[in-house]
Amino acid sequence: MYDIIGDIHGHADQLSALLARLGYEKRGGAWRRPSALHRILFVGDYIDRGPEIRAATEIVRELVDADIAVAVMGNHEYNAVAWHALGPEGFPLRAHTAAHLRQHERTLRAFNSELSDLLRWMRRLPLFFENDDVRVVHATWDDRSIASLDGATPLTDDRFLERSAVRGTREHAAIATLLKGAETDLPPGRFYYDKEGTRRYTTRTRWWIRPPAGGTVPLGSIAMPPADTQMETVSVPAAALNLPGYEDPRPVFVGHYWLTGSPAPLSDRVACVDYSVANGGALCAYRYSGELPLRAERFVCVPV
Ligand SMILES: [Mn+2]
């Protein structure tokens, strides 16, 4: 029995409420689960944006330490590690721009910039998790990216961390794909504005779909929201798309995509559990017990 929990972003109250709904409770200072068969899988993005980042990370860390949960890394944890690490020339690996600061400042404030313990923990988070039953990654399951890594926790290596901040390296490509999502270029001249008002010339894709070998594909059929609705009418050459597809019999659970509306799987074996708690939405979990196809009724959300 796996309870896969979506992006928390410092919303400790909703996390506590969701855990209670799922039958987890803290008694006498120790976390208890509904049964010894239950296990929590967190999909990443514990920090930034929300009001109780310290409390949220404490709960996640307690559950991991108690061997009740596994927590994988989200792009916000990666970005925080890179923000606080210096490259060989003495500059931060993630530039301290205004836009990057906006994403991270709530965490800086919550910890009074005393993040060393949290940073050590975040650096050790695995980039993905898999066992015989199930797989979890923050944004995209991509066998090629995973094969390019030296194990699930490559960021503990200083050299890997440094190189991951350099565009064009295999380390950068793997982090971008696994934690930020496979993207594809929009046709020349096309763009849209993301939720932070930044112009985007690429779109996140429905990476689990393998496009046909030849011909063209309507962009709307492979683009992930948010995107320009006019893209529905634009077709791109299938050869230009580099989508990994997903055909493994084990289901894969992701976060990251800021979904809204009524929770439902993305395909028969791919489900996103991020329903935008940091943007007025819900904190959701999927309670998985071996069923395929995955089913909308298996989502548990607060509020709702
Ligand atoms: Mn994310």
Side-chain angles (χ1 to χ4, degrees), residues 145-157:
S145 295
I146 288 170
S148 80
L149 304 173
D150 222 4
T153 57
L155 288 165
T156 52
D157 178 47

Side-chain angles (χ1 to χ4, degrees), residues 167 180-187 190-194 198-205 219 222-228 231:
R167 254 173 228 280
K180 303 178 184 186
E183 299 202 339
T184 219
D185 290 340
L186 298 180
R190 305 294 297 239
F191 61 84
Y192 67 96
Y193 292 95
D194 71 10
T198 305
R199 252 193 208 199
R200 298 286 183 179
Y201 297 90
T202 61
T203 180
R204 293 171 172 178
T205 50
L219 204 45
I222 55 98
M224 282 289 279
D228 176 355
M231 284 196 318

Side-chain angles (χ1 to χ4, degrees), residues 26-272:
K26 198 172 174 182
R27 255 190 294 150
W31 282 97
R32 313 287 171 101
R33 48 187 158 178
S35 85
L37 297 175
H38 284 78
R39 194 166 187 195
I40 294 170
L41 304 173
F42 288 110
V43 301
D45 279 5
Y46 314 109
I47 62 166
D48 295 343
R49 305 195 195 280
E52 296 171 301
I53 296 165
R54 188 185 279 269
T57 57
E58 275 166 12
I59 295 169
V60 172
R61 292 181 68 172
E62 284 172 7
L63 287 163
V64 171
D65 290 346
D67 224 3
I68 291 173
V70 171
V72 302
M73 186 180 291
N75 57 313
H76 281 259
E77 285 75 48
Y78 171 79
N79 287 345
V81 169
W83 170 282
H84 293 277
L86 296 180
E89 271 121 54
F91 295 107
L93 293 180
R94 182 167 169 82
H96 289 194
T97 62
H100 292 167
L101 175 61
R102 264 202 303 283
Q103 284 181 6
H104 191 40
E105 63 187 345
R106 291 256 197 162
T107 302
L108 293 172
R109 239 183 290 142
F111 285 82
N112 295 319
S113 298
E114 296 291 318
L115 279 97
S116 48
D117 182 57
L118 181 70
L119 287 167
R120 265 194 303 278
W121 180 75
M122 292 194 294
R123 255 187 100 162
R124 289 197 306 263
L125 294 174
L127 299 184
F128 61 92
F129 170 82
E130 67 179 330
N131 64 14
D132 291 343
D133 303 323
V134 66
R135 288 172 155 178
V136 175
V137 68
H138 187 62
T140 304
W141 190 277
D142 176 39
D143 288 325
R144 275 204 296 184
S145 295
I146 288 170
S148 80
L149 304 173
D150 222 4
T153 57
L155 288 165
T156 52
D157 178 47
D158 288 341
R159 172 121 180 100
F160 185 98
L161 175 60
E162 253 171 46
R163 288 181 56 82
S164 72
V166 181
R167 254 173 228 280
T169 62
R170 73 170 168 88
E171 293 86 349
H172 183 272
I175 294 286
T177 301
L178 298 173
L179 303 193
K180 303 178 184 186
E183 299 202 339
T184 219
D185 290 340
L186 298 180
R190 305 294 297 239
F191 61 84
Y192 67 96
Y193 292 95
D194 71 10
K195 63 184 183 310
E196 271 137 11
T198 305
R199 252 193 208 199
R200 298 286 183 179
Y201 297 90
T202 61
T203 180
R204 293 171 172 178
T205 50
R206 298 178 180 273
W207 50 266
W208 57 94
I209 297 171
R210 196 185 286 277
T216 61
V217 179
L219 204 45
S221 69
I222 55 98
M224 282 289 279
D228 176 355
T229 49
Q230 295 173 30
M231 284 196 318
E232 313 280 331
T233 62
V234 178
S235 284
V236 289
L241 297 169
N242 183 22
L243 303 183
Y246 191 78
E247 276 140 37
D248 194 89
R250 289 165 287 182
V252 57
F253 294 90
V254 300
H256 190 59
Y257 292 103
W258 296 91
L259 300 185
T260 54
S262 189
L266 296 170
S267 82
D268 64 343
R269 66 192 70 190
V270 180
C272 172

